Amino acid sequence: MTWKPEVEELRTRRKLAEQMGGAEKVARQHSRGKLDARARIKGLVDPGSFREIGKIAGKGHYGPDGELLDLSPSNLVFGRANIESRPVVASADDFTVRGGAADAAIHRKFVQCEQMAHTLKIPLIRMIDGTGGGGSVKTLEDIGATYVPATPGWGEIVKNLETVPVVALALGPTAGLGAARVVASHYSIMVKGLSQLFAAGPAVVEAIGEASDKESLGGSAIHTRNGVVDEEVGSEQEAFARARRFLSYLPSHVGQHAPRIANADPVDRREQSLIGLVPREAKQVYSMRRLLDAAFDKGSVFEMGRLWGRAAITAFARLDGWPVAVVASDPSFLGGSWEAKTSEKVERFIKLADQFRLPVVHLVDNPGFMIGLAAETSGTIRYGVNAMNAIYKASVPLCCVVIRRAYGIAGSAMSNAEAFQYRFAWPSGDWGSLPIEGGIEVAYKSEIEAAEDPQAHLEAIRERLNRVRSPFRTAEKFGIEDIIDPRETRPLLCEFADLAWRALGAKD
């Protein structure tokens, strides 16, 4: 007597589960240019590392004598896997079963997936394709009543946000709860032309008098530019690659150190191009991304949220193999002025760095908060203050390099001025409560008007003030800690990274 018959039945049930929604629906999924749930997990994780949990959960269909005829599997596929040899929880919605709706996922399975991540302290990746909600209005007839809305299991999602890195890939139309699961992450990705995200889809929106299609209502061109989603990519494979790379900079959980990798880029490399990067003409722009590529380990810069809040670059990078979080002004957009979206982006990124204990490098060229009616209407000052508060509250080491401008309250948000400031400035540094160019006429108005030649008098005042705005004058008074040759930037940042990680308790 053995258990071979039961083992054979187990094998049969597993094969039935692998058919997902059936050949026709799987073919329909592929015809839309989309991978199926199992192919997505295979494309995301290390080969052979996925161990599925709850594979045979679903709804069995039985014959008159109780024999199994077929199995409709749950539309949530999840389990333990590895990414770069580190354990993760990988999950994928199966759109071929009930369009990815939550009522076919089996609630306990959904909860166990979320609980597994924060209980075992390993990152979670959600690949979302479908509504994720409770089904259609037809469900109400089956129930025989309506119900007060609730989202059972949402507390587990909140715990994950507080405990482990969470990555969400929107890989199809995601509405309602599906959309919420995308947003409830530390890093989110949409595939151009394939993914859409909305609180409610076009058919529902039409009831309020707005006609639209999925792409015009919630395509990646909308949500990767308003800050709802971090990244737009061209294919599912690119989404998998970016998710893997994002996780490489972070620890597996809060309280653990992020991994250091081997580094072949010399820490004493002096990038000659930096000496001429910043133009002498104040109104000319330059590429801050060239500075990032020159100063950090070669090939290590990983930008996050490039398409929104564009006056600031937020990125992960490495210095001598150590991961760091980078905030850098982008003078090519609004001159680097922080408007509402940029401030929101900086706030969120600084909080992310602090949560996962990554040292911060801030490269500053900030002429201040954006001004004007549009800036006031969008609440720039509130979002700006929130960003400044995040910088002041952050408890990880922060190094600041003033590349050019630092003016006003936004300029002062470069670091916590009431703590030790690990700070350098380039000789191109230019700072103050407001730019001299915009303040002379106001401060010296009566004197200029009384002059025989007002324009010549204005120029004389400007020349006089330009002499005292030299960064060396500030350094004389120790108003700036150090002025450096721009070519020294990488060696000094590598030194900071070493000291910062020692302070955080990491070992080589």
Side-chain angles (χ1 to χ4, degrees):
M1 294 290 291
T2 70
W3 293 92
K4 285 185 178 179
E6 285 78 9
V7 171
E8 284 301 318
E9 181 177 348
L10 175 61
R11 186 177 291 114
T12 298
R13 287 175 177 269
R14 286 175 172 171
K15 287 183 178 179
L16 290 172
E18 289 172 359
Q19 295 176 11
M20 296 174 279
E24 183 180 337
K25 290 185 178 179
V26 171
R28 192 182 306 159
Q29 173 88 349
H30 294 166
S31 72
R32 292 168 175 154
K34 297 162 64 177
L35 297 174
D36 59 74
R38 295 185 177 280
R40 285 168 172 166
I41 289 179
K42 185 177 180 180
L44 172 73
V45 305
D46 295 352
S49 70
F50 182 60
R51 184 180 69 78
E52 188 171 350
I53 296 173
K55 184 172 186 175
I56 64 173
K59 184 178 181 180
H61 304 280
Y62 298 91
D65 297 324
E67 71 275 18
L68 179 68
L69 301 178
D70 199 2
L71 176 71
S72 298
S74 159
N75 62 10
L76 175 67
V77 180
F78 90 97
R80 181 249 192 246
N82 286 343
I83 288 182
E84 304 295 341
S85 301
R86 298 167 65 197
V88 300
V89 177
S91 70
D93 296 344
D94 184 357
F95 192 79
T96 70
V97 180
R98 289 277 293 114
D103 60 352
I106 302 180
H107 178 65
R108 185 172 182 274
K109 191 176 182 184
F110 167 82
V111 172
Q112 286 284 291
C113 174
E114 295 287 333
Q115 286 181 337
M116 183 180 182
H118 63 73
T119 300
L120 298 180
K121 295 184 178 180
I122 53 179
L124 171 66
I125 302 98
R126 304 188 194 107
M127 291 183 279
I128 302 169
D129 186 0
T131 64
S136 72
V137 293
K138 288 183 178 180
T139 308
L140 300 179
E141 270 194 304
D142 297 332
I143 297 172
T146 58
Y147 53 88
V148 177
T151 309
W154 192 260
E156 309 303 334
I157 290 176
V158 174
K159 286 181 184 177
N160 279 329
L161 287 173
E162 296 172 344
T163 310
V164 297
V166 179
V167 178
L169 282 59
L171 300 177
T174 60
L177 180 57
R181 290 171 61 218
V182 173
V183 176
S185 63
H186 298 110
Y187 183 58
S188 54
I189 304 173
M190 294 180 74
V191 180
K192 186 176 182 179
L194 192 74
S195 310
Q196 298 87 33
L197 184 149
F198 18 69
V204 180
V205 171
E206 193 172 345
I208 65 170
E210 291 185 15
S212 61
D213 57 27
K214 290 178 181 178
E215 193 66 22
S216 63
L217 180 63
S220 61
I222 295 172
H223 290 306
T224 57
R225 290 155 178 82
N226 64 13
V228 168
V229 172
D230 295 302
E231 214 69 67
E232 178 186 72
V233 298
S235 68
E236 293 192 49
Q237 290 76 12
E238 187 180 351
F240 304 153
R242 290 195 71 84
R244 290 170 65 94
R245 193 167 177 206
F246 171 82
L247 290 173
S248 72
Y249 293 91
L250 297 179
S252 292
H253 61 85
V254 170
Q256 184 187 65
H257 291 127
R260 183 187 190 186
I261 66 171
N263 171 47
D265 191 358
V267 298
D268 60 353
R269 174 170 58 79
R270 292 164 55 91
E271 190 66 38
Q272 295 301 313
S273 64
L274 296 184
I275 192 68
L277 179 69
V278 177
R280 284 192 168 274
E281 172 52 52
K283 293 183 179 180
Q284 289 183 356
V285 300
Y286 59 94
S287 172
M288 181 63 79
R289 289 182 176 86
R290 279 181 55 199
L291 194 164
L292 267 62
D293 290 338
F296 295 93
D297 294 357
K298 292 292 186 184
S300 74
V301 177
F302 179 80
E303 190 169 347
M304 178 175 166
R306 183 169 183 153
L307 298 177
W308 74 288
R310 290 166 50 200
I313 299 165
T314 51
F316 297 113
R318 293 187 182 274
L319 290 165
D320 194 20
W322 291 113
V324 294
V326 183
V327 176
S329 305
D330 187 353
S332 68
F333 184 79
L334 301 179
S337 297
W338 285 10
E339 27 66 87
K341 282 297 179 185
T342 294
S343 300
E344 181 185 352
K345 177 176 166 180
V346 170
E347 178 193 9
R348 180 175 177 229
F349 191 72
I350 290 292
K351 287 180 175 178
L352 179 67
D354 198 43
Q355 178 181 2
F356 290 104
R357 313 304 292 159
L358 292 183
V360 175
V361 174
H362 192 176
L363 305 177
V364 180
D365 186 351
N366 190 337
F369 290 130
M370 194 65 189
I371 59 174
L373 179 59
E376 301 299 344
T377 303
S378 64
T380 294
I381 189 64
R382 176 171 292 280
Y383 289 100
V385 168
N386 287 343
M388 186 173 185
N389 290 347
I391 290 170
Y392 266 68
K393 290 175 68 175
S395 58
V396 292
L398 185 149
C399 177
C400 182
V401 185
V402 184
I403 306 302
R404 186 161 63 176
R405 295 160 301 179
Y407 278 99
I409 298 173
S412 73
M414 67 178 75
S415 58
N416 183 350
E418 296 176 0
F420 171 72
Q421 291 191 279
Y422 201 109
R423 186 167 61 177
F424 308 100
W426 284 14
S428 46
D430 180 21
W431 39 66
S433 58
L434 76 166
I436 288 176
E437 288 78 10
I440 294 176
E441 288 87 344
V442 176
Y444 294 88
K445 181 179 180 181
S446 59
E447 183 179 325
I448 294 170
E449 290 176 346
E452 289 185 15
D453 186 343
Q455 186 59 39
H457 194 71
L458 173 62
E459 291 302 321
I461 295 172
R462 182 175 286 122
E463 183 179 350
R464 200 166 68 235
L465 290 175
N466 278 335
R467 287 196 293 269
V468 302
R469 76 191 294 185
S470 163
F472 298 112
R473 296 283 190 102
T474 308
E476 285 178 10
K477 300 179 180 298
F478 199 57
I480 185 71
E481 290 72 24
D482 279 301
I483 296 176
I484 64 169
D485 180 333
R487 293 168 292 189
E488 296 173 354
T489 303
R490 172 173 169 77
L492 290 171
L493 288 180
C494 287
E495 179 181 278
F496 162 73
D498 178 70
L499 293 172
W501 276 104
R502 287 176 187 271
L504 291 170
K507 298 178 180 178
D508 291 345

